[in-house]
Amino acid sequence: MRVLVLGGSRFMGHFLVYRLLAAGHHVTLLNRGVTPDSFGDRVARVRCDRAAGDVAQALGSQEFDAAVDFTAYTAEDGRAAVRALGGGRVGHYVMISTGSVYLVREGCPRPSRERDYDGPLLPEPAGDEDRAAWAYGMNKRRCEEVLAAAWREARFPATVLRIPMVNGERDPHRRLERYVARVLDGGPLLVPDGGKHPVRHVYSGDVVRAIVKLFLVPSTFGEAYNLCMEETPTLSELLALVAELLGAPARLEPISSAALRVRDIDPAVMSPFSDTWMSMLDPAKASAELGFRHTPLRRWLETVITSLVAHPPSEPPPGYERRAEELALAAALSGEPGVGSI
């Protein structure tokens, strides 16, 4: 197959490209060329900044059997994809969307199902962080709606994959790495609000395999699917498993988010898995219609942790500079002076 990958040099796109190359497919990358990759001359390259350039002009008359879009964030991004690949120039277009499209819905159920997409939307929040998260979900919705209209009106063969927080090797946000670093330094983990809320993430490798499996399946055209694991551990249970896999005791110290903010510690930076804008999805439709199966949590978590320990970063993960304050606060909460080390 001739496959176009929009993005493809960082996280899931990196692994998708290698999987496609290993299977003998011809891959074309469209991106800005800012992030280095190791594909060399095994891929064709089209340089285009979607925010400022014309995707249709950059691609010209090229045709593809399939396209995977990791960089479609707005309605204009969706329109640009339709202009560039409509009219029969692609056999199947797959957009990587987000569970945030549900979070901007008023009273949306958790876990969210595909049929929960429609409904009244939340007004724009006042705070900067909430506004940014809201805008992300709203813009992804608008992009999805452009693609849905293109399917209805011109049979543009688009499929939307909605994913929650993604964990895996090469995660550019380094979310899991923050917890690993904190466990390895010997100090306790501050857990916002007790870590009692359930989490339902997805492993990057499972998403990549699902993408390849649904290529050129006509029954998926015009449809949206949630991809996520079925397991729903609480945050505390997930962190305890991280500690166990590292061979460390699970030293969890519950604290309210309000108490952290009073001390100018952002709970979302200190504990990114506790973010209030994190979606929780229901994968039943993808399981039934796509045969989607997730890797068991313990298995993929051990794989990712092993990769982090085997290839330590050259600098601490984001937010780790506040670790001294976290340890001091944990000591005050537990009554144990001098816990942990830096």
Side-chain angles (χ1 to χ4, degrees), residues 202-256:
V202 70
Y203 175 50
S204 58
D206 291 338
V207 177
V208 168
R209 284 187 288 274
I211 292 170
V212 176
K213 187 175 179 180
L214 66 78
F215 276 160
L216 303 178
V217 178
S219 61
T220 69
F221 297 170
E223 296 288 334
Y225 298 92
N226 296 337
L227 300 184
C228 63
M229 66 184 190
E230 293 186 5
E231 296 164 272
T232 56
T234 65
L235 175 60
S236 289
E237 289 169 343
L238 178 61
L239 297 184
L241 180 55
V242 170
E244 178 191 337
L245 292 172
L246 285 165
R251 303 182 61 189
L252 307 182
E253 195 69 56
I255 184 173
S256 71

